[in-house]
């Protein structure tokens, strides 16, 4: 039975050695896993940071675009207002021209009538 005990002790020693090797291997794998996890977390943080910078640039670009669009809309609105004012002014000028033309013709007619009346009056007086 001493051979059996010795064989069992040898098996126990081998099992302990295998367990120690397995623990060492597991620790090594866990360390590698932890290192990979840290590396991935670092990459994710870097990407988030870069994304934040890009998002910040994008937000600034979007704001710049919105500002330019607002400025362009304001200029277009002013241009339309100026065109409307010019159209109203031209309409008023046209109306004044028509009135002046009418009054000019009326003045010519009255001048002609006055001249005719003077001529008739001069005939009757002579």
């Amino acid at each position: 039975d001493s051979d059996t005990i010795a064989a069992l002790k040898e098996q126990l020693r081998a099992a302990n050695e295998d367990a120690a090797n397995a623990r060492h291997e597991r620790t090594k794998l866990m360390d590698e896993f932890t290192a990979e996890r840290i590396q991935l977390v670092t990459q994710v943080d870097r990407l988030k940071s870069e994304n934040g910078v890009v998002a910040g640039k994008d937000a600034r670009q979007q704001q710049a675009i919105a500002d330019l669009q607002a400025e362009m809309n304001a200029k277009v609105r002013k241009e339309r207002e100026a065109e409307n004012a010019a159209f109203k002014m031209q309409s008023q000028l046209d109306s004044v021209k028509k009135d002046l033309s009418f009054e000019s013709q009326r003045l010519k007619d009255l001048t002609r009538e006055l001249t005719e009346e003077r001529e008739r009056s001069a005939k009757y007086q002579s």
Side-chain angles (χ1 to χ4, degrees):
D1 284 342
S2 67
D3 289 338
T4 306
I5 291 174
L8 287 174
K9 281 183 179 180
E10 182 58 31
Q11 285 177 353
L12 184 58
R13 187 191 61 73
N16 283 336
E17 189 177 314
D18 288 344
N21 287 339
R23 279 193 303 274
H24 176 70
E25 188 65 29
R26 188 186 78 216
T27 302
K28 181 180 162 189
L29 289 173
M30 290 302 289
D31 288 346
E32 288 174 5
F33 173 75
T34 300
E36 287 177 6
R37 188 171 61 84
I38 289 171
Q39 184 181 11
L40 288 173
V41 167
T42 303
Q43 286 178 346
V44 167
D45 288 345
R46 189 184 85 246
L47 289 173
K48 282 181 182 177
S49 174
E50 289 173 1
N51 190 28
V53 169
V54 169
K57 285 182 182 177
D58 188 47
R60 286 191 301 274
Q61 288 173 343
Q62 292 297 326
Q63 185 59 47
I65 289 169
D67 291 346
L68 288 173
Q69 286 175 333
E71 185 179 337
M72 183 180 69
N73 289 340
K75 287 182 180 183
V76 166
R77 189 172 34 259
K78 285 182 181 180
E79 185 179 331
R80 285 184 187 148
E81 289 171 359
E83 287 174 354
N84 286 339
F87 178 76
K88 286 178 183 178
M89 184 65 75
Q90 187 62 46
S91 295
Q92 289 174 347
L93 283 174
D94 291 345
S95 177
V96 168
K97 283 181 183 178
K98 285 179 184 177
D99 289 346
L100 283 174
S101 175
F102 175 77
E103 291 300 325
S104 174
Q105 186 61 45
R106 194 167 150 234
L107 184 60
K108 286 178 185 176
D109 291 344
L110 288 173
T111 302
R112 184 176 33 90
E113 287 177 19
L114 181 61
T115 304
E116 289 173 358
E117 281 295 318
R118 282 184 183 158
E119 288 174 358
R120 270 185 261 158
S121 176
K123 280 185 184 179
Y124 289 123
Q125 286 180 359
S126 15

